[in-house]
Amino acid sequence: MLEARRMAVTYEANRAICKYVHSTSSGHEAIQLATGLQLQPCDYVSPYYRDDAMLLAMGFSPQELMLQLLAKGDDPFSAGRSYYSHPNIKRPGMPHIPHQSSATGMQVIPATGMAQGLQYLEQAGLLQQQGGVAPIVLCSLGDGSVTEGEVSEAWQFAVLHQLPILYLVQDNDWGISVSSEEARAMDAYDYAAGFKGMARMRIDGTDFIKSYTAMEEAIHYVRSTRQPMVVHAQVALLGHHTSGVRKEWYRPAEDLEKHQGMDPLPILEQELRRAGVTDDYLHTAAEDAKAYINQEFAAAVAAPDPDPQTVTAHVFAPTPVIVETGQRSPAGAAKVMMVDAALHAVEELMQEFPECILYGQDVGRRLGGVFREAATLGDKFGDERVYNTAIQEAYIIGSTAGLCATGVKPIVEVQFGDYIFPGLNQLATEIAKSCYLTAGKYPVQTLLRVPVGAYGGGGPYHSACVESTLLSIKGIKVVYPSNAADMKGLLKAAFLDPNPVVMLEHKGLYWSKVPGTQDAITVEPSADYVIPLGKGRIVTDATDQAVAHGESMCVITYGMGVYWAQAAAATWPGQVTIVDLRTLFPLDEPLIYATVRRHGKCLVLTEEQLSNSFAQSLAGRIQQACFRELDAPVQTVGALDLPAVPLNMGLEAMMLPNATKVEAAMKELLAW
């Protein structure tokens, strides 16, 4: 406790050196130390940004924490990429700490996903216990973050499935400058009462001995019963919220005085005196702690900064799928629709990988997905591996980060692209940044399936294409197949990729009911067929003669755009090359640029709107990379340029007509 307190004093005395934003555990040390000392190497821990005393108790040295404080290259957590007390570690003899962000409360979903993973591995007989100890998850958070809706999603899932997780809520009555009276109608203990099946405990987190005894009981409860529990610990806030938000700016004198009276350090010293410890010993201990922390701080200050050349490292982990393998069109194989190709791919993966699970809204055995994309899987693999969730897009997406940390390989589904937005916080904040901010220790291997696109009068909330939104998130890959063979090969590669992959699946191509999309039905590839992400495909190719006479052009597109382009290109046989991107990130730039340079005329076609879109961005990149070879400006066609279909007209009105803006754009380009 003296070391943790001395660290906070040292940082405050060296603000010019400690220039990055940080929080410390001052006032929270008792409950944090009582917790950290009792965790086992088999456990999983999700600390929050004020938990430096807990990290000391778990075995980290002050210098290791200071290396992150100062953003040094030897920072064992992020290699200088993250703020103070944002730990992650894979180290023998210590609990597992996957990535968690600074976003308050957001770590509760990934942490609950860790418990979900432990439960599945136990049920499947895949969990190897260390020394006979059953692992648990410890999720630490401040009381101010409990008001986040994502905490509710996580707690709902935890009690519904009775997961082995302990939520430690440290309540210091402040959320930056917002007091508890302003922010909440109840504290975490009272709130937890609404979650049937959640055990709960309220403790004095300023008293180390009481905290140790209480946490011993709580940890034993979760470890033995495999059920969730909330511990609400009242603590003091002695320091600033962060180094950038000073306590004197917003806290009245009476509040500071009240919290000073709750300081856990004098409380512990009094307990020690009652136990016979002398003042001389306490004085010597304080001096020793001061000297030790000064020494550790000096060593951290002298440590080397990160090499700027490494700034782009670890955005993604290396993927094993780098070449196309397997048979795309095996002899004697039957043709399949896209939806069945995806279904068969998932089934084959679940047969091969016992750690693979599938969950989402309505994918369980009762329905098998609203598009029947998971039909029969629940019956074949059981409710432990294929199951429904509530309407919880944030949990569906964010829990995969925790599952992956335990070794489970999840495939999850958001039912419509229009409803992915509640989950974007988890996707962008937790999942996409995990590999980078852990310096490669915790990439998130998750496959997120998202049905998209206009089809069958879906209306304004069931028809969106969302690729531009997703492509703005660094750290995820985005795949968009247009036929059954690509669906199967890309889905397999996406599953095997150690990084998060979002697979956008066009509802209008699932069954090829839209006239003109029959080519989406293909021979089913072999079970070992994979297509590396980032490789496009030439669908139709212009003749060399047309190219030589300057009478050719290319269309760069994907998804339903492939079939619009084919329908329009029928007017100019042999003059149009169509490139199906297949993967939007990573992008096959060599194929795109080589094709554009060959023809000199290019149309980028998308189902999305054009304003601020991926298609407009791609057109600009093509223009920049191929400027000298272009015979005409790159043209773009998007949703607002395409024929509108009234909701009550149905599929027949969605026929691919010859006289569309696509054909008009082709005519204009070919005239150059």
Side-chain angles (χ1 to χ4, degrees), residues 28 60 66 109 413 422 441 588 628:
H28 293 232
F60 291 101
M66 294 167 180
I109 284 179
E413 180 184 304
K441 292 191 291 295
D588 194 345
R628 294 182 183 277

Side-chain angles (χ1 to χ4, degrees), residues 1 3-9 11 22-30 32-33 36 47-62 64-66 68-69 77 84-87 140 170:
M1 195 178 290
E3 289 172 7
R5 185 63 57 85
R6 177 50 57 178
M7 288 161 64
V9 171
Y11 304 160
H22 62 272
S23 297
T24 68
S25 59
S26 294
H28 293 232
E29 297 100 336
Q32 289 185 19
L33 293 168
Y48 87 119
Y49 55 80
R50 201 180 295 282
D51 279 342
D52 55 7
M54 187 185 297
L55 298 176
L56 291 176
M58 289 167 57
F60 291 101
S61 70
E64 287 181 304
L65 306 188
M66 294 167 180
Q68 187 173 69
L69 169 79
F77 308 132
Y84 180 65
S85 202
H86 286 69
S140 175
Q170 301 174 52

